[in-house]
């Protein structure tokens, strides 16, 4: 292969990416990806693309996911051949589950160096299996005009696949022969014909609207909103709910909590945990559900017991419902549905009943804020009062997102809350949060010590790209969530579930040149959170796993008694 042929191929591929509007790229460097990497570096110098280089492939993939999650735009992820591509896999799984449009470009050995023991060579054909929307094997560099046209078309087509509902990752595998050095500088010309695809607008027929009107008429209805992956407004939903007098159970990732509306019910997780007889009076006649899988396991269990009509808004045509309670599937977005669906007349007292219970729960939680000692329950409540509204909050899986679900009941609307709730893993959390931080100034990550340990390599990106991220590490020295599970009292619990690491977070902060603060004071943390953020800041909050379980039990008992007394 001559150098000019390689140069033409690289230019062709990158032109296709630019034509389709790709403006962010994350590179995990290696030898085989040299020609594409050099092209991206030139584009970055020319301010045509934002390039981030991360030497840890797993971190790089989650960093790219964090960018795409916060922008809802396709992000290119590039690596060399072999196990480098395998390290992308956890983030690819998360992207597929949570509909994030990653463009995964793996470079590969040519055919004559595969399956014969050549170094850094794996079979990369369909490497990610069913965890990507599409896979394409790109041809070797060629002077053939039709093959060049095909390559350009496939790259553009791939991006359209990634950004068509449901959004998701796509995989391009590019075999490259040596020599790997293109002629520099590359010449990028607007010669690519742009492949476009019109958005499909779905609406309900008149007969469907009439059926829905009858189904919702004179009913005690409930709207359940799970995580929302886009940043659309909620005007149609709120207007419909207010006119109908239906409560909206708002998942913390629905982006609805804190909106000034009496219909927003955030305290349902604690309410359902009480298992009080008063829950019988909260049984709806019908449910409308939108968004992704909600965080609260208690909500899922309650829905299974209800046995009522459940209308699921499913624009992605996926029928994802682990509760198996949906009865009617509507292939419409939340906005489209509530803009077109007839609104029923409200049932007297129905919304007020939910509102009174929420008010009482919030009053009970407010009484706990008088102490100055920080525990894991106090942190979400402190955040809802202290954080500025422009904060972008990233939340780790395991205990942090569950405590946010139960105890983060804000009176103000925050800019956005993020969490990797597709596969629900604790890997790559720091890198995802730093990907978010590449887009914004006011950023906070709430994370446990094990998830922090899992992705310490990701911290390097903060210094490399001068990113602003404040990290609260809840350090209970192990896997805190297991203390709430049946195995908590078993022999060898600490060894195989508690798994204390004895992590010296101060030394980790020093290694990555982060500002470090350790505190167990509510007053001190409140003061820290109100200070301007400059660069990377790590706040360690030491807690105790055993005490944490007792505190959760005590607050639930207190609220249960309070609700029993009042209602």
């Amino acid at each position: 292969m001559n150098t000019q042929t390689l140069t033409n191929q690289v230019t062709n591929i990158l032109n296709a990416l630019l034509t389709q509007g790709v403006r962010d790229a994350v590179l995990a460097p290696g030898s085989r990806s040299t020609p594409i990497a050099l092209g991206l570096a030139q584009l970055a110098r020319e301010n045509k693309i934002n390039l981030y280089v991360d030497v840890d492939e797993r971190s790089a993939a989650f960093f790219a996911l964090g960018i795409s999650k916060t922008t809802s735009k396709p992000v290119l992820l590039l690596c060399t051949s072999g196990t480098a591509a395998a390290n992308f896999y956890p983030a690819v799984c998360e992207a597929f589950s949570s509909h994030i449009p990653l463009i995964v470009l793996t470079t590969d050995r040519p055919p004559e160096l595969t399956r014969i023991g050549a170094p850094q060579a794996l079979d990369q054909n369909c490497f990610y299996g069913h965890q990507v929307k599409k896979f394409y094997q790109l041809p070797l560099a060629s002077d053939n005009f039709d093959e060049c046209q095909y390559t350009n078309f496939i790259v553009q087509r791939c991006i359209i696949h990634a950004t068509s509902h449901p959004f998701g990752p796509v995989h391009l595998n590019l075999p490259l022969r040596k020599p790997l050095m293109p002629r520099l500088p590359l010449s990028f010309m607007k010669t690519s014909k742009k492949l476009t695809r019109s958005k499909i607008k779905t609406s309900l027929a008149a007969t469907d609207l009439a059926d829905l009107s009858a189904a919702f008429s004179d009913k005690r209805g409930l709207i359940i909103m799970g995580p929302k992956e886009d940043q659309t407004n909620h005007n149609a939903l709120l207007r419909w709910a207010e006119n109908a007098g239906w409560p909206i159970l708002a998942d913390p990732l629905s982006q609805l909590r804190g909106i000034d509306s009496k219909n927003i019910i955030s305290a349902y997780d604690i309410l359902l945990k009480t298992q009080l007889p008063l829950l019988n009076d909260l049984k709806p006649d019908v449910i409308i559900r939108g968004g992704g899988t909600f965080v609260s396991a208690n909500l899922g269990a309650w829905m299974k017991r209800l046995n009522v009509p459940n209308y699921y808004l499913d624009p992605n045509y996926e029928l994802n419902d682990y509760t198996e309670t949906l009865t009617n599937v509507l292939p419409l977005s939340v906005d489209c549905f509530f803009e077109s669906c007839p609104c029923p007349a409200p049932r007297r007292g129905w919304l007020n009943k939910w509102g009174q219970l929420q008010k009482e729960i919030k009053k009970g939680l407010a009484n706990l804020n008088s102490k100055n000692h920080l525990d894991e329950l106090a942190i979400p409540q402190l955040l809802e009062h202290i954080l500025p509204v422009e904060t972008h909050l990233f939340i780790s899986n395991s205990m942090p997102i569950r405590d946010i679900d139960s105890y983060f009941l804000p009176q103000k609307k925050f800019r956005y809350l993020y969490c990797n709730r597709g596969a629900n893993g604790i890997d790559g959390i720091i890198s995802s949060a730093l990907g978010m931080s590449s887009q914004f100034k006011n950023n906070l990550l709430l994370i446990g010590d094990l998830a922090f340990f899992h992705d310490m390599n990701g911290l390097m990106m903060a210094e490399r790209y001068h990113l602003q991220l404040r990290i609260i590490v809840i350090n209970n020295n192990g896997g805190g969530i297991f203390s709430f599970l049946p195995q908590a009292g078993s022999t060898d619990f600490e060894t195989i579930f508690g798994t204390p690491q004895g992590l010296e977070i101060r030394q980790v902060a020093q290694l990555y040149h982060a500002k470090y603060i350790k505190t167990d004071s509510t007053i001190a943390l409140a003061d820290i959170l109100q200070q301007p953020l400059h660069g990377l800041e790590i706040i360690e909050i030491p807690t105790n796993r055993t005490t944490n379980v007792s505190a959760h039990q005590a607050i639930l008992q207190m609220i249960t008694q309070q609700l029993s007394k009042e209602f």
Side-chain angles (χ1 to χ4, degrees):
M1 179 181 68
N2 63 56
T3 302
Q4 188 58 51
T5 302
L6 174 66
T7 303
N8 292 341
Q9 185 195 41
V10 172
T11 306
N12 190 22
I13 291 171
L14 294 178
N15 263 336
L17 292 167
L18 293 174
T19 299
Q20 284 297 323
V22 174
R23 293 297 178 266
D24 293 285
V26 180
L27 164 67
S31 176
R32 191 60 52 167
S33 58
T34 293
I36 302 294
L38 289 172
L40 289 174
Q42 179 182 325
L43 287 174
R45 288 197 314 275
E46 296 173 356
N47 296 316
K48 294 176 180 176
I49 204 162
N50 302 309
L51 176 63
Y52 302 90
V53 180
D54 192 337
V55 298
D56 182 325
E57 285 87 2
R58 188 177 71 169
S59 171
F62 277 104
F63 188 89
L65 183 140
I67 297 173
S68 187
K69 178 187 284 284
T70 51
T71 62
S72 297
K73 295 179 180 178
V75 175
L76 177 68
L77 179 61
L78 173 67
C79 73
T80 188
S81 62
T83 57
N87 284 308
F88 283 172
Y89 191 64
V92 170
C93 292
E94 174 63 29
F96 185 77
S97 299
S98 54
H99 308 305
I100 307 300
L102 286 185
I103 313 300
V104 184
L105 177 57
T106 58
T107 52
D108 200 358
R109 264 47 182 172
E112 65 271 15
L113 291 180
T114 58
R115 303 183 187 182
I116 59 169
Q120 283 188 273
L122 298 175
D123 183 356
Q124 294 178 199
N125 185 57
C126 297
F127 199 55
Y128 302 113
H130 297 295
Q131 301 304 315
V132 291
K133 290 184 67 178
K134 291 287 182 179
F135 166 77
Y136 291 104
Q137 180 78 20
L138 293 175
L140 287 159
S142 169
D143 292 323
N144 182 280
F145 177 79
D146 289 336
E147 282 196 348
C148 293
Q149 288 287 91
Y150 170 79
T151 297
N152 186 283
F153 176 79
I154 288 302
V155 174
Q156 290 201 49
R157 180 183 180 187
C158 215
I159 298 163
I160 287 179
H161 279 309
T163 54
S164 299
H165 285 284
F167 284 18
V170 293
H171 178 203
L172 291 161
N173 191 56
L174 174 63
L176 292 166
R177 285 196 179 105
K178 291 183 178 179
L180 298 173
M181 280 295 297
R183 290 182 179 175
L184 299 173
L186 301 175
S187 178
F188 296 102
M189 297 177 291
K190 295 182 179 179
T191 56
S192 298
K193 293 181 180 178
K194 184 174 182 179
L195 185 62
T196 61
R197 180 175 179 177
S198 299
K199 293 182 179 180
I200 300 174
K201 295 183 178 180
T202 308
S203 59
L204 293 171
T207 53
D208 295 325
L209 294 173
D211 290 343
L212 289 171
S213 181
F216 299 155
S217 178
D218 198 33
K219 295 293 194 302
R220 301 196 312 175
L222 193 63
I223 300 170
I224 298 175
M225 287 303 302
K228 283 273 285 178
E229 292 143 3
D230 53 40
Q231 301 186 30
T232 57
N233 65 57
H234 306 281
N235 295 340
L237 162 64
L238 293 169
R239 185 168 54 249
W240 196 97
E242 288 168 5
N243 290 334
W246 286 22
I248 303 172
L249 305 193
D251 185 273
L253 304 173
S254 68
Q255 317 310 328
L256 285 162
R257 289 195 182 182
I259 289 178
D260 185 16
S261 171
K262 63 182 179 181
N263 296 77
I264 302 295
I265 305 297
S266 305
Y268 57 85
D269 186 65
I270 299 178
L271 177 60
L272 295 173
K273 283 179 182 176
T274 66
Q275 299 184 12
L276 287 168
L278 61 83
L279 292 176
N280 295 328
D281 295 331
L282 298 178
K283 179 179 178 179
D285 300 318
V286 62
I287 292 172
I288 300 173
R289 181 184 153 199
T293 299
F294 35 79
V295 172
S296 173
N298 299 292
L299 178 56
W302 184 60
M303 289 176 65
K304 285 186 175 183
R305 296 194 297 269
L306 291 179
N307 192 28
V308 299
N310 186 337
Y311 290 77
Y312 183 37
L313 306 180
D314 186 24
N316 292 329
Y317 297 84
E318 289 187 312
L319 299 181
N320 283 338
D321 175 33
Y322 83 95
T323 69
E324 299 174 353
T325 58
L326 65 88
T327 58
N328 301 74
V329 181
L330 302 172
L332 299 171
S333 68
V334 171
D335 289 346
C336 182
F337 174 82
F338 286 107
E339 285 172 357
S340 58
C341 183
C343 182
R347 284 284 295 268
R348 183 182 299 274
W350 171 238
L351 177 60
N352 188 50
K353 189 177 297 184
W354 283 90
Q356 287 177 337
L357 288 165
Q358 172 160 272
K359 184 178 180 180
E360 199 64 32
I361 291 171
K362 287 186 175 182
K363 186 164 63 175
L365 293 177
N367 293 333
L368 299 175
N369 290 334
S370 57
K371 59 185 179 181
N372 186 38
H373 181 74
L374 270 174
D375 58 22
E376 296 186 32
L377 286 169
I379 294 170
Q381 298 171 63
L382 181 67
L383 295 182
E384 74 177 59
H385 290 102
I386 298 299
L387 285 184
V389 293
E390 65 270 16
T391 302
H392 294 83
L393 175 60
F394 206 104
I395 309 151
S396 177
N397 281 310
S398 201
M399 281 306 297
I401 188 60
R402 287 170 171 81
D403 281 344
I404 287 289
D405 188 23
S406 297
Y407 306 108
F408 185 77
L409 314 174
Q411 300 298 316
K412 56 188 178 184
K413 175 71 173 72
F414 288 89
R415 186 62 59 86
Y416 220 74
L417 274 67
Y418 301 95
C419 181
N420 288 344
R421 288 304 287 177
N424 294 192
I426 64 166
D427 45 350
I429 301 296
I430 291 174
S431 297
S432 296
L434 285 168
M436 171 191 75
S437 301
S438 71
Q439 306 299 307
F440 309 115
K441 296 294 184 185
N442 298 287
N443 308 294
L444 176 68
L445 167 62
L446 181 64
I447 193 170
D449 58 291
L450 284 189
F452 182 83
F453 173 74
H454 225 282
D455 193 27
M456 288 192 300
N457 282 359
L459 292 168
M460 183 60 76
M461 295 296 282
E463 181 179 13
R464 184 185 298 274
Y465 293 102
H466 309 291
L467 304 178
Q468 296 186 23
L469 179 64
R470 180 173 276 143
I471 303 176
I472 295 178
V473 184
I474 302 171
N475 188 1
N476 54 33
N477 197 23
I481 194 169
F482 294 107
S483 298
F484 290 83
L485 301 179
Q487 59 263 48
S490 62
T491 305
D492 300 319
F493 173 80
E494 277 297 282
T495 302
I496 59 177
F497 293 108
T499 57
Q501 302 296 310
L503 189 64
E504 291 289 343
I505 294 176
R506 178 190 296 273
Q507 294 183 20
V508 176
Q510 184 177 2
L511 177 63
Y512 291 100
H513 305 105
K515 180 180 179 181
Y516 171 80
I517 304 165
K518 184 177 183 178
T519 184
D520 61 0
S521 164
T522 301
I523 295 173
L525 181 60
D527 181 63
I528 293 165
L529 293 177
Q530 294 178 81
Q531 299 302 315
L533 175 62
H534 303 288
L536 179 63
E537 181 177 292
I538 299 175
I539 305 167
E540 179 184 3
I541 300 176
T543 64
N544 180 277
R545 281 183 272 132
T546 302
T547 303
N548 184 44
V549 173
S550 301
H552 278 75
Q553 293 170 341
I555 194 171
L556 180 59
Q557 182 179 12
M558 181 272 292
I559 288 176
T560 301
Q561 292 173 349
Q562 185 174 328
L563 294 180
S564 298
K565 179 181 177 181
E566 295 295 329
F567 298 94

